[in-house]
Amino acid sequence: MTSAIRQDGAPALVDARITRIETIPLKVELERPATGSTLKLTHRCTIVTRVHTDTGVVGECFNGNDDELQPAIIRLIHDELEPLLKGRRVAAIDDAWAATRRATEPFLRDRRVALRAQACVDSALHDAVGKLAGLPLHLLWGGARERVPVVALGGYYRQSGDLEALADEVAELKAFGIHGLKLKLGGKTPAEDALRAQTVRRAGGDGFVLACDANQGWSREEALEFVRRTRDLNLAWFEEPCRWDNDRADMAVVRTVGGVPVAAGQSELSRFGCRDLLVAGAIDICNFDASWGGGPTEWRRVAMLASAFNVSVMQHLEPQIGLMMSAGVVNGRYAEVMLPWRDPFFYKLIANQPERPFVDGYYTLPTAPGWGMSFDPEYLEFARRK
């Protein structure tokens, strides 16, 4: 697709303007609960955001958000952000980001709402810019990769037959073309969870990527015990091993003493929080979440910060944006995905999803402009939150 042209012959991207913003909340029930150390999820929720322009081009994206926050996020988008953005240039993304950032300033309300509202709009704006330029976003950002290695988030706790289920899940992942698992743990003792990690390694083999995610479930001592027990498993990384209240200092110790790469960043709300993780020497991988922290614009700033510390980056979940974002920076690492039962939107909402999305552990990036995806209207209506 070539870039859009205005009637007067000028490229539309130069002066395209925002006319209105549309939001559609979606919610579907998962086939089974997803249970980790500090979480239990029964539904998958997302918000489709569309930025309409005076060229007729519509930028759209969907960003995952908590069930209870959806209504407040949508109200804030329409009550505060949309009036600020109407008439602004689509291409002036940094200016739009700075304008919408003001919504995060009131300290008596939940800042997560404003940050996620900002992320929804920012994600759709990037899609509009890509469509107006006629380029997929990773190429527009300067990335040359055609495919990205993927790791699946999984290994949730089961009430019975947990170890057998883990071995079965690894087999399912490999048959699905995914050759890596980020294993949920931290909800049991280090000895019990080390056994779970050993089960995955045996089932996957030496070439299978194994990472572990404790979701801030352990003390520093417990995290170090787990590292000692899994020293021979060749962990790709150990994510959020320590409880939130002293995690920067504790993760720095786990990283230094334990000798395993440490990942964190999804629990930070801005590049400044990620900066502090970097300065503390706490992480080898930063997995800041663009959908929770202000959008791809902020994520890319985090990536540039991380590159100054020789730290690699990933997007926390949300492969509809994470795949291209990882490919669009030089220090991008894996992209996180999930199986269809855990992420129905990625597989069912995206109408032009390949029949076999993953081959030999990789996802081939779309070549259509923007985020490269179109939506299935029937599934959109099915999942629309009533």
Side-chain angles (χ1 to χ4, degrees):
M1 176 180 175
T2 57
S3 58
I5 303 294
R6 292 197 323 235
Q7 288 184 346
D8 62 7
L13 181 56
V14 173
D15 199 37
R17 304 281 173 157
I18 300 167
T19 57
R20 67 185 181 92
I21 297 175
E22 176 187 1
T23 54
I24 307 171
L26 306 181
K27 178 180 179 180
V28 295
E29 186 174 3
L30 299 179
E31 294 177 11
R32 61 177 184 269
T35 304
S37 63
T38 57
L39 56 85
K40 182 176 182 179
L41 304 173
T42 59
H43 292 76
R44 184 84 165 132
C45 299
T46 199
I47 297 172
V48 172
T49 306
R50 289 173 169 154
V51 172
H52 295 259
T53 75
D54 61 0
T55 67
V57 169
V58 178
E60 59 184 0
C61 193
F62 61 96
N63 300 81
N65 281 292
D66 298 342
D67 187 6
E68 73 274 10
L69 295 182
Q70 269 194 348
I73 292 168
I74 288 173
R75 281 196 303 272
L76 195 148
I77 288 173
H78 293 293
D79 292 349
E80 298 185 36
L81 305 191
E82 186 176 15
L84 281 173
L85 296 178
K86 279 185 178 180
R88 287 181 179 265
R89 294 178 190 268
V90 175
I93 285 184
D94 280 358
D95 284 346
W97 192 93
T100 56
R101 195 64 167 185
R102 283 178 242 157
T104 69
E105 293 174 0
F107 64 86
L108 291 180
R109 72 180 179 192
D110 189 343
R111 281 200 172 96
R112 294 179 303 165
V113 173
L115 286 165
R116 297 181 187 199
Q118 183 184 38
C120 289
V121 174
D122 188 63
S123 300
L125 267 176
H126 277 280
D127 186 59
V129 169
K131 287 175 175 175
L132 287 163
L135 289 171
L137 285 170
H138 69 289
L139 288 180
L140 190 63
W141 292 329
R145 282 189 286 172
E146 296 180 352
R147 60 181 195 155
V148 177
V150 297
V151 170
L153 177 62
Y156 292 97
Y157 291 113
R158 307 289 186 101
Q159 290 185 343
S160 62
D162 188 44
L163 297 183
E164 294 83 358
L166 282 175
D168 290 343
E169 184 172 348
V170 171
E172 182 182 8
L173 287 171
K174 294 175 76 172
F176 200 58
I178 299 173
H179 293 185
L181 172 66
K182 189 173 83 172
L183 174 67
K184 286 294 183 183
L185 42 78
K188 297 187 176 184
T189 68
E192 290 172 310
D193 272 335
L195 183 58
R196 301 177 78 244
Q198 291 161 7
T199 299
V200 172
R201 173 55 72 212
R202 282 196 301 270
D206 293 340
F208 190 79
V209 178
L210 171 59
C212 293
D213 182 5
N215 284 122
Q216 302 179 331
W218 280 331
S219 67
R220 181 177 64 195
E221 291 74 19
E222 289 171 321
L224 285 170
E225 180 187 346
F226 175 81
V227 170
R228 288 193 297 269
R229 290 178 177 274
T230 57
R231 195 176 301 279
D232 61 345
L233 298 185
N234 189 28
L235 299 184
W237 69 86
F238 190 11
E239 188 169 318
E240 289 194 331
C242 302
R243 296 192 182 104
W244 71 272
D245 45 3
N246 194 40
D247 61 345
R248 287 173 190 153
D250 287 342
M251 287 190 299
V253 173
V254 171
R255 177 176 178 252
T256 303
V257 176
V260 64
V262 170
Q266 72 180 68
S267 298
E268 302 300 332
L269 299 180
S270 71
R271 64 188 181 277
F272 305 108
C274 294
R275 173 203 61 194
D276 293 345
L277 287 173
L278 294 163
V279 171
I283 56 174
D284 300 273
I285 303 167
C286 186
N287 68 332
F288 184 66
D289 192 316
S291 291
W292 293 353
T297 294
E298 185 78 340
W299 188 93
R300 286 177 51 76
R301 291 168 179 165
V302 169
M304 294 304 103
L305 270 174
S307 70
F309 290 81
N310 290 322
V311 167
S312 57
V313 292
M314 298 188 300
Q315 156 67 19
H316 170 245
L317 298 183
E318 307 297 336
Q320 71 277 7
I321 59 175
L323 290 157
M324 277 199 176
M325 291 199 303
S326 180
V329 293
V330 294
N331 54 334
R333 195 159 179 166
Y334 295 94
E336 291 188 352
V337 299
M338 293 182 283
L339 285 169
W341 77 267
R342 180 65 179 84
D343 189 11
F345 297 129
F346 181 68
Y347 299 95
K348 296 180 180 179
L349 179 59
I350 300 175
N352 56 334
Q353 192 69 269
E355 183 177 349
R356 184 175 170 81
F358 310 108
V359 178
D360 295 331
Y362 285 82
Y363 181 91
T364 298
L365 295 164
T367 57
W371 295 116
M373 58 185 169
S374 58
F375 296 157
D376 182 330
E378 291 185 6
Y379 189 80
L380 185 71
E381 187 57 36
F382 163 79
R384 185 190 291 262
R385 186 168 185 166
K386 304 300 189 286

